Each structure stands twice: as structure tokens, then as C-alpha cells.
């Protein structure tokens, strides 16, 4: 089934919450240990057996722990077990081992040297990556730990009518990512435009139920990656373009080019970064990983990707009043500083996917 | 003092071959006037009155005239409790599927079965008597270093045959 096609009556099952399942298992294991049901030596034996056969990294989710596990199993033991259930089998095995053991030692030595060299390189690389992560706010887990406030989403109300016009008569369904309270999706459907939304909020499903529209609880990028080429007639991006880190914003733009059918419309509704910095919560502004891009940047990106008919529309911009009472010099000075003091709250960048796009390399 | 035989099994269920075997032995021992008890890891609710939790083994005072008969069919912490006891031990081996069949598909079962084989090997060395329900299983015990092993056909009654 095409990921952009309407849902049927059957709702897909929610993906299992692996972390909750693991937490429940850990709780039961702790309870059984406290009750004395599991001897510590037996549990250690089970862990060692599992580690011996589990894929490297199955038990751990940190690169340091996986490396440590790999280093533990990197040593080769050329003395294979010689026990046998068959009468005389052990004797034969020991004889064979003595006969060809010198050859296995020769090969094992080389393989072991290669393994240790590779592990050493991995260890050095891991140390550098960990150091980088601690220096870049975008991935620093210490920042994520103190970031608890989510900024308010952009009010799309002033953009509804124009977005309806921009998305009318497009060759396919229109996707709004991220659809938030579903207002735009409702308006699009009421205007006769087949539209649906995606939003990562846990209550996105409830929003769609109450609004009577199709909304899927998933992230914008996760959904776009799953769409086949040319699946959409229109793509409206909002919310995510104010929040995503730079790399994810670039990926959004590339996927927009890929998933839109020829003649499809891209609409980016974003907060103006100056307004975002001046009027938003300063703590969140300092600590959040992503931030909105300037409309000029979106225009540049979209143009570079091969979109055509690129347009930039600013939202309402407040400004100084009573210009008529001012002298021309003062008015001119105000004209120069007004955009800095009163940037528009939001902007729209729209574009159309041409019939013959440039070749697109999404592997980078 | 009267000789006592304590049966220990990882799981006791009524509609289960090993469970039926254990209950059958229990009935036979009682009929013969032998003091006997069953300790189990998991006890089916309907059999709650016929068995005690295996963790109670740790609190049981040692007795020279008590034998522990452990039913081995897979790895279980219950086996560790038996190994820790000072009483003379007997093992009734019901067969452990070779673990390598499960390594690629069910690693947790592989781990259980491998641990079970190791447990069986330790038990085989400290038991006074080993029982098996087939010559094949008896051969496995001999291979693990258990010198003398008797194989005894399972006791089947009309009740144990009913599903």
C-alpha cells in the first residue's frame, strides 16, 4: 500500500514499545533476585552464554559497551573442545588437533593481529566522536537533559486562504507536515482538496478523530522517507521547519523534491528567525537544537534543488506609525531600521516541482 | 529415621509428561509408605497443594536420610538450589534438546538448554543414582561422566494418559 494512500477501516497496530518491555523485564528480574529465586552465579552464567551467541551490540546500546564486548571476543582460542559422545571420538579429535594445530595457529595469529588493529582504530575513532558530541550542542546529551520547554507553534490562521489557493488543483494528495491541531488539513479537505497530515505529537490521532481528518502520528522526515517518488501533489511544511537541526532541514528540502509529482506545489510556512529570537522564550532559544532558517535561505535551497516559480511572501509586519509627521530624513532612517526591529512573524516560500527536475542525489 | 525422598522439578503441571511422571512417582512413594514431598519452580494453580516453592529448599534443614531426586529437562535456577544442598542426590534425566538447533532462531532457548547441559554435567558427577527414561538418555548421562545409570520406562497410568 502506498504510504500516501488513505487509511482503510483497519488501523495498523502500534509499534511495540521496546523500552517499556525491557523495563518491565528488568523489574521482574530485580523482584525475583530480591526474593532469592535466581542464584547470582546462575544468572551470570546465563548472561555469559547469551553474550557468547548474541549479535555484538544486542545487549548494549552504547558504542563504548559494544566495543568492550567486541574486544572481549576478539581473542581466538585455537584449542577446540575435543569431548565426544562417540566411543573413541575424543581420541580422534585430539589426534587431529595435534596433526593440524600448527596451521591453525599460523592463520589465527594473522587474523588476531588484524582484529586487534581494527579494534584499536575503532577505539580511537569512538573517542574522537564522543569528544565531538560533547562539544557540539546539537548532539550534546547534557543540553537535551535540561531542555524541557517546547516553543509555541506558528499560528497558521493568517495563511489558510492563501495556502488553499497554492494547493488547489495539484496532481495528487496534499500532505501537511506537521499538521498540529489539524486546522489546515480540515480547511484543505473542506475546499475539496484531498489532504492528510502527519505530526509527532502523541495526541495527533485524537486531533484527527475530533476533527474528522486523517492524521498520522509520526515525524515529518520519517514519513517523507517512506514515500515513493512523485507520491504527492502538494507538500506544506510547518512546525518542523522551525525546530529541526540544519541537516534535517536540508533533508526535508531534498525529500520535497523527490516526493512531489511534476507540477506539485511546495509550501514552506516558517517563523522568521529574527522574530523567533526577539520574541520567543530566550532559554529555549539558547538551548534548542534547531532553529528556523531565513526565507532567503529556503529560497536558495529550493532554487538549487531545481524547483521553479519560487516565491517569497512575508507575513504582516508591524512598524512605526505616524510617518506623516516625521521629517523625510527621520522617515528614511526608520525605513532602514524597521525591518530589524519589527521583522515579520512568519513567511511563506512557495515553489513548484518542474516536469523535468535535475538529477537528485539523496545519498549525501 | 525414615528415609525421605524429595522430588524437585523446574515446572509442575498436570497435563505435562514430566509433571505426570513426578505425580506418579509421588503417588507410588506414598503408597509404599515412603515420606515424600515435591518442590517445583512453577506450580500449576490446581497442584498448589501437592508441591512447595523451590525457594523453600534453601530453608529446609539438612537430613542424612533424605534424598533429593531432581528431574532434569532444561536449565533452571531450581537445579542450582539442588546442587547447593548437602543431601545425597538422584537425577532423573528426561532429555535436553541439543541447544545448537536453537542458536540462530531462539537464542534465549539456546542459553537455557546450554545452561541445562552444564547443570546436568555437574549433577551427574555428584549423584548417587541416575535414572533415564530411555537407553538413549542413559547413554547421554554416561557420556557426561555418570558411571552407572539405570533406565526405567515411564510409569503410565490411565490418568496420566488422559489429556
Amino acid at each position: 500500500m502506498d504510504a500516501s494512500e488513505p487509511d482503510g477501516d483497519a488501523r495498523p497496530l502500534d509499534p511495540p514499545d521496546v523500552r517499556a518491555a525491557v523495563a518491565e523485564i528488568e523489574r521482574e528480574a530485580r523482584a525475583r533476585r530480591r526474593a532469592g529465586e535466581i542464584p547470582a552465579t546462575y544468572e551470570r552464567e546465563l548472561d555469559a552464554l547469551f553474550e557468547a551467541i548474541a549479535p555484538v551490540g544486542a545487549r548494549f546500546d552504547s558504542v563504548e559497551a559494544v566495543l568492550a564486548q567486541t574486544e572481549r571476543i576478539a581473542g581466538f582460542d585455537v584449542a577446540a573442545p575435543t569431548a565426544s559422545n562417540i566411543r573413541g571420538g575424543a581420541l580422534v579429535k585430539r589426534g587431529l588437533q595435534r596433526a593440524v594445530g600448527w596451521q591453525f595457529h599460523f592463520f589465527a595469529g594473522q587474523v588476531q593481529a588484524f582484529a586487534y588493529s581494527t579494534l584499536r582504530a575503532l577505539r580511537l575513532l569512538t573517542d574522537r566522536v564522543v569528544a565531538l558530541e560533547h562539544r557540539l550542542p546539537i548532539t550534546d546529551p547534557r543540553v537535551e537533559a535540561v531542555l524541557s520547554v517546547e516553543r509555541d507553534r506558528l499560528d497558521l490562521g493568517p495563511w489558510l486562504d492563501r495556502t488553499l489557493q497554492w494547493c488547489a488543483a495539484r496532481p495528487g494528495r496534499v500532505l501537511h507536515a506537521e499538521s498540529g491541531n489539524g486546522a489546515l488539513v480540515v480547511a484543505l479537505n473542506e475546499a475539496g482538496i484531498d489532504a492528510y497530515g502527519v505530526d509527532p505529537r502523541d495526541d495527533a490521532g485524537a486531533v484527527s478523530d475530533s476533527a474528522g481528518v486523517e492524521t498520522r502520528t509520526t515525524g515529518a522526515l520519517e514519513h517523507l522517507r517512506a514515500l515513493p517518488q512523485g507520491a504527492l501533489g502538494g507538500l506544506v511544511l510547518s512546525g518542523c521547519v522551525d525546530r529541526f537541526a540544519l541537516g534535517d532541514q536540508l533533508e526535508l528540502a531534498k525529500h520535497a523534491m523527490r516526493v512531489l509529482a511534476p507540477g506539485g506545489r511546495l509550501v514552506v510556512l516558517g517563523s522568521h528567525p529574527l522574530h523567533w529570537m526577539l520574541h520567543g522564550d530566550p532559554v529555549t532559544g539558547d538551548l534548542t537544537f534547531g532553529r528556523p532558517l531565513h526565507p532567503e535561505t529556503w529560497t536558495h535551497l529550493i532554487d538549487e534543488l531545481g524547483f521553479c516559480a519560487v516565491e517569497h511572501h512575508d507575513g504582516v509586519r508591524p512598524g512605526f506609525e505616524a510617518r506623516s509627521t516625521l521629517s523625510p530624513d527621520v522617515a528614511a532612517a526608520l525605513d532602514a531600521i524597521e525591518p530589524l526591529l519589527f521583522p515579520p512573524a512568519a513567511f511563506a516560500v512557495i515553489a513548484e516541482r518542474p516536469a523535468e527536475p535535475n538529477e537528485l542525489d539523496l545519498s549525501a | 529415621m525414615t528415609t525421605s525422598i524429595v522430588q524437585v522439578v523446574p515446572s509442575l503441571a498436570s497435563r505435562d509428561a514430566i509433571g505426570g511422571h513426578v505425580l506418579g512417582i509421588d503417588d507410588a512413594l506414598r503408597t509404599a509408605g515412603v515420606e515424600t514431598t515435591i518442590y517445583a519452580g512453577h506450580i500449576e494453580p490446581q497442584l498448589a497443594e501437592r508441591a512447595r516453592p523451590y525457594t523453600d529448599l534453601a530453608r529446609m534443614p539438612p537430613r542424612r536420610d533424605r534424598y533429593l531426586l531432581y528431574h532434569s529437562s532444561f536449565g533452571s535456577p531450581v537445579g542450582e538450589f539442588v546442587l547447593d544442598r548437602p543431601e545425597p542426590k538422584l537425577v532423573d534425566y528426561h532429555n535436553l534438546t541439543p541447544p545448537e538447533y536453537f542458536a540462530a532462531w531462539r537464542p534465549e532457548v539456546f542459553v537455557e538448554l546450554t545452561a541445562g547441559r552444564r547443570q546436568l554435567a555437574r549433577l551427574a558427577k555428584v549423584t548417587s543414582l541416575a535414572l533415564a527414561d530411555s537407553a538413549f538418555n542413559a547413554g547421554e548421562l554416561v557420556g557426561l561422566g555418570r558411571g552407572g545409570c539405570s533406565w526405567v520406562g515411564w510409569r503410565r497410568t490411565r490418568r496420566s494418559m488422559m489429556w
Side-chain angles (χ1 to χ4, degrees):
Chain A
M1 178 178 143
D2 188 331
S4 71
E5 288 181 8
D7 282 348
D9 290 336
R11 282 189 167 283
L13 294 174
D14 292 332
D17 188 341
V18 176
R19 287 183 187 235
V22 171
E24 187 180 337
I25 292 169
E26 292 286 340
R27 273 197 301 275
E28 182 173 339
R30 282 196 297 272
R32 294 189 68 188
R33 272 186 225 118
R34 279 196 299 272
E37 292 179 19
I38 309 176
T41 50
Y42 186 69
E43 192 175 355
R44 278 197 294 274
E45 183 180 357
L46 293 181
D47 284 344
L49 279 171
F50 186 76
E51 196 173 305
I53 63 160
V56 173
R59 285 192 64 211
F60 314 104
D61 57 9
S62 80
V63 67
E64 290 92 345
V66 172
L67 260 184
Q69 184 191 12
T70 309
E71 284 161 351
R72 278 195 296 274
I73 64 175
F76 297 102
D77 183 3
V78 295
T82 54
S84 174
N85 289 333
I86 305 169
R87 191 186 296 276
L91 193 64
V92 171
K93 285 187 181 179
R94 283 198 293 274
L96 279 170
Q97 199 170 67
R98 284 200 202 96
V100 299
W102 59 272
Q103 203 166 35
F104 286 124
H105 277 96
F106 177 72
F107 288 130
Q110 294 173 85
V111 174
Q112 198 147 320
F114 171 75
Y116 281 134
S117 299
T118 307
L119 279 170
R120 181 66 186 145
L122 270 175
R123 170 62 72 185
L124 289 172
L125 186 62
T126 302
D127 291 344
R128 290 177 67 176
V129 169
V130 169
L132 268 175
E133 282 183 330
H134 277 80
R135 283 161 176 76
L136 285 176
I138 207 165
T139 58
D140 194 334
R142 294 170 295 184
V143 174
E144 192 172 353
V146 297
L147 183 63
S148 58
V149 178
E150 193 175 316
R151 296 179 73 114
D152 293 334
R153 295 199 180 193
L154 180 67
D155 178 15
L156 299 182
W159 300 95
L160 277 182
D161 290 341
R162 278 188 282 181
T163 306
L164 295 182
Q165 291 171 5
W166 291 329
C167 293
R170 294 296 149 182
R173 301 192 81 194
V174 174
L175 165 65
H176 180 197
E178 302 159 337
S179 47
N181 62 8
L184 178 58
V185 178
V186 169
L188 287 166
N189 279 290
E190 285 178 351
I193 300 169
D194 184 12
Y196 72 106
V198 297
D199 197 284
R201 292 185 335 186
D202 289 339
D203 62 348
V207 165
S208 69
D209 286 344
S210 62
V213 295
E214 181 189 337
T215 305
R216 306 180 192 186
T217 307
T218 184
L221 268 180
E222 286 77 12
H223 186 70
L224 288 173
R225 286 171 187 151
L227 289 178
Q229 184 158 340
L232 299 175
L235 174 62
V236 180
L237 297 174
S238 73
C240 49
V241 296
D242 291 344
R243 212 177 65 248
F244 276 10
L246 180 58
D248 290 344
Q249 303 257 31
L250 298 180
E251 190 179 347
L252 274 177
K254 286 185 178 178
H255 280 298
M257 186 57 164
R258 185 182 63 80
V259 303
L260 283 169
R265 169 78 75 189
L266 172 65
V267 178
V268 176
L269 299 173
S271 299
H272 199 284
L274 276 177
H275 187 273
W276 186 85
M277 279 303 296
L278 287 172
H279 299 284
D281 173 60
V283 173
T284 310
D286 280 346
L287 297 181
T288 193
F289 296 155
R291 57 202 62 245
L293 303 177
H294 285 84
E296 292 84 356
T297 305
W298 274 108
T299 303
H300 170 78
L301 290 174
I302 290 170
D303 194 54
E304 286 289 301
L305 284 169
F307 279 93
C308 61
V310 182
E311 297 175 11
H312 164 202
H313 303 267
D314 276 336
V316 172
R317 182 202 302 267
F320 292 110
E321 294 180 3
R323 296 289 183 93
S324 59
T325 62
L326 302 173
S327 70
D329 290 340
V330 173
L334 284 177
D335 284 343
I337 66 173
E338 196 173 56
L340 300 173
L341 291 177
F342 303 108
F347 65 86
V349 171
I350 65 172
E352 192 169 297
R353 202 240 202 214
E356 290 177 2
N358 301 331
E359 283 210 50
L360 192 64
D361 178 17
L362 286 174
S363 61
Chain B
M1 264 190 183
T2 316
T3 298
S4 163
I5 294 179
V6 169
Q7 294 194 83
V8 186
V9 61
S11 176
L12 184 68
S14 54
R15 295 184 188 282
D16 171 70
I18 296 174
H21 181 70
V22 169
L23 294 171
I25 292 176
D26 188 69
D27 290 338
L29 288 172
R30 288 177 191 279
T31 302
V34 177
E35 183 184 327
T36 185
T37 328
I38 301 173
Y39 287 80
H42 172 259
I43 304 170
E44 194 178 71
Q46 298 94 297
L47 301 174
E49 291 185 2
R50 295 202 62 174
R52 299 177 188 176
Y54 72 102
T55 45
D56 287 354
L57 275 172
R59 292 186 281 277
M60 192 170 64
R63 269 171 60 175
R64 287 179 180 274
D65 61 341
R66 177 190 292 128
Y67 289 83
L68 300 183
L69 171 58
Y70 180 65
H71 294 269
S72 171
S73 61
F74 58 88
S76 168
V78 177
E80 302 299 310
F81 278 72
V82 170
L83 282 163
D84 284 344
R85 295 293 306 181
E87 288 90 348
K89 301 169 189 50
L90 318 169
V91 64
D92 189 347
Y93 178 49
H94 297 273
N95 190 270
L96 279 157
T97 307
E100 50 269 25
Y101 292 139
F102 292 91
W105 313 107
R106 295 289 300 276
E108 76 282 10
V109 177
F110 170 88
V111 166
E112 244 180 11
L113 290 170
T114 304
R117 287 205 164 262
R118 292 182 180 185
Q119 226 169 42
L120 183 66
R122 296 204 302 272
L123 277 166
K125 291 180 171 56
V126 299
T127 51
S128 310
L129 174 69
L131 302 172
D133 51 17
S134 69
F136 180 84
N137 288 348
E140 282 199 69
L141 284 174
V142 171
L144 287 170
R146 177 74 192 100
C149 176
S150 298
W151 73 269
V152 180
W154 278 19
R155 178 173 181 272
R156 289 181 179 173
T157 64
R158 278 181 63 83
R159 190 177 60 188
S160 67
M161 291 286 286
M162 288 169 63
W163 293 98

